[in-house]
Amino acid sequence: MSEMIESPVAAARLKLALAIGENAAFDGWTAAAVEAAALAEGVDPAVAALAVPTDPVGLIQLYGEGVDAALAERLPPDRLGAMKIRERIRSLVWERLQIQEPAKEAIRRALAILAMPQNLASAARFSWRSADVMWRMAGDTATDYNHYTKRTILSAVYGSTLLAWLQDESEGSADTAAFLDRRIDEVMRFEKWKAGIGKREMPSLTRFLGRLRYPPR
């Protein structure tokens, strides 16, 4: 069987994904950011124009796909497999933030775009995708109720940590690291409680998610 050959357009799309976000810090989620990314990555502008979306939401989605790909490279299965589950989730969230560091200002702009009423469905889909990718990388294979609760909870953890990170001016994002550790600890306590007392009484997922989204610093 012959090997599948990646098309130039598909290759350009993957190559440009992160660079577009990094240039969006200066040019916004626009064609100008695509052009700058193509120049930086040595991609023919004509190919770049065919390879990537033309709307801001599409460009934000593409950037997210680039972050997913970079995350998989930085934390391959053999490395994650040597960690306990808490460390896997913590490492995935933290490494995701590190990948996005060069695009921090662009992410602020992206969140403002996704907060627009017409983009709320896309924002929810992107959040779910990020959580799903991280859980799958962590080795989760659940298909029952836990499949959805795990992703809902991780979406809240990641979302609140992302907001803390965007405001963090501490050296090495130390405040964000501490914030993330507290959120992960809360999740672990919730899971432990759900496995014990929760067998006799269903946990209040809504109340728990509220604590993750609006926790005390």
Side-chain angles (χ1 to χ4, degrees):
M1 181 188 298
S2 61
E3 295 184 2
M4 293 185 64
I5 300 175
E6 188 176 38
S7 72
V9 170
R13 178 182 174 87
L14 182 60
K15 189 173 185 179
L16 291 170
L18 288 181
I20 288 171
E22 292 166 10
N23 282 281
F26 306 98
D27 299 314
W29 296 93
T30 65
V34 176
E35 293 174 6
L39 180 63
E41 297 297 323
V43 175
D44 185 329
V47 174
L50 292 173
V52 306
T54 57
D55 62 297
V57 173
L59 291 175
I60 293 167
Q61 178 180 353
L62 176 59
Y63 176 72
E65 293 171 3
V67 173
D68 292 339
L71 190 61
E73 288 185 5
R74 293 195 186 190
L75 292 173
D78 58 336
R79 183 176 171 188
L80 286 170
M83 304 177 186
K84 293 183 178 180
I85 187 62
R86 182 196 187 285
E87 186 181 357
R88 290 181 203 174
I89 295 301
R90 201 268 185 197
S91 296
L92 285 162
V93 173
W94 182 253
E95 198 63 43
R96 193 177 190 90
L97 295 177
Q98 299 306 296
I99 291 168
Q100 295 176 101
E101 183 68 38
K104 201 166 187 176
E105 182 56 39
I107 292 168
R108 289 192 181 93
R109 296 187 184 194
L111 292 180
I113 292 170
L114 294 175
M116 295 177 180
Q118 68 270 27
N119 296 330
L120 292 178
S122 294
R125 187 170 66 252
F126 297 167
S127 177
W128 180 270
R129 173 191 167 86
S130 296
D132 184 55
V133 166
M134 287 188 282
W135 266 118
R136 290 182 185 279
M137 287 184 63
D140 178 65
T141 58
T143 57
D144 57 4
Y145 171 79
N146 283 326
H147 173 90
Y148 300 98
T149 57
K150 285 179 177 180
R151 283 149 183 79
T152 301
I153 290 171
L154 184 54
S155 291
V157 170
Y158 176 62
S160 61
T161 305
L162 181 69
L163 293 177
W165 172 71
L166 288 172
Q167 301 171 48
D168 190 356
E169 297 181 356
S170 63
E171 184 175 354
S173 297
D175 290 347
T176 301
F179 181 95
L180 174 58
D181 287 335
R182 292 195 296 272
R183 300 292 78 78
I184 296 290
D185 286 343
E186 287 179 358
V187 172
M188 294 299 104
R189 287 197 296 271
F190 179 74
E191 289 296 320
K192 183 178 180 180
W193 178 82
K194 188 174 67 172
I197 298 175
K199 292 179 181 179
R200 300 190 295 273
E201 177 186 352
M202 283 298 293
S204 174
L205 182 60
T206 301
R207 188 183 312 118
F208 177 71
L209 290 176
R211 287 186 62 199
L212 289 177
R213 291 186 181 279
Y214 308 106
R217 289 300 298 268

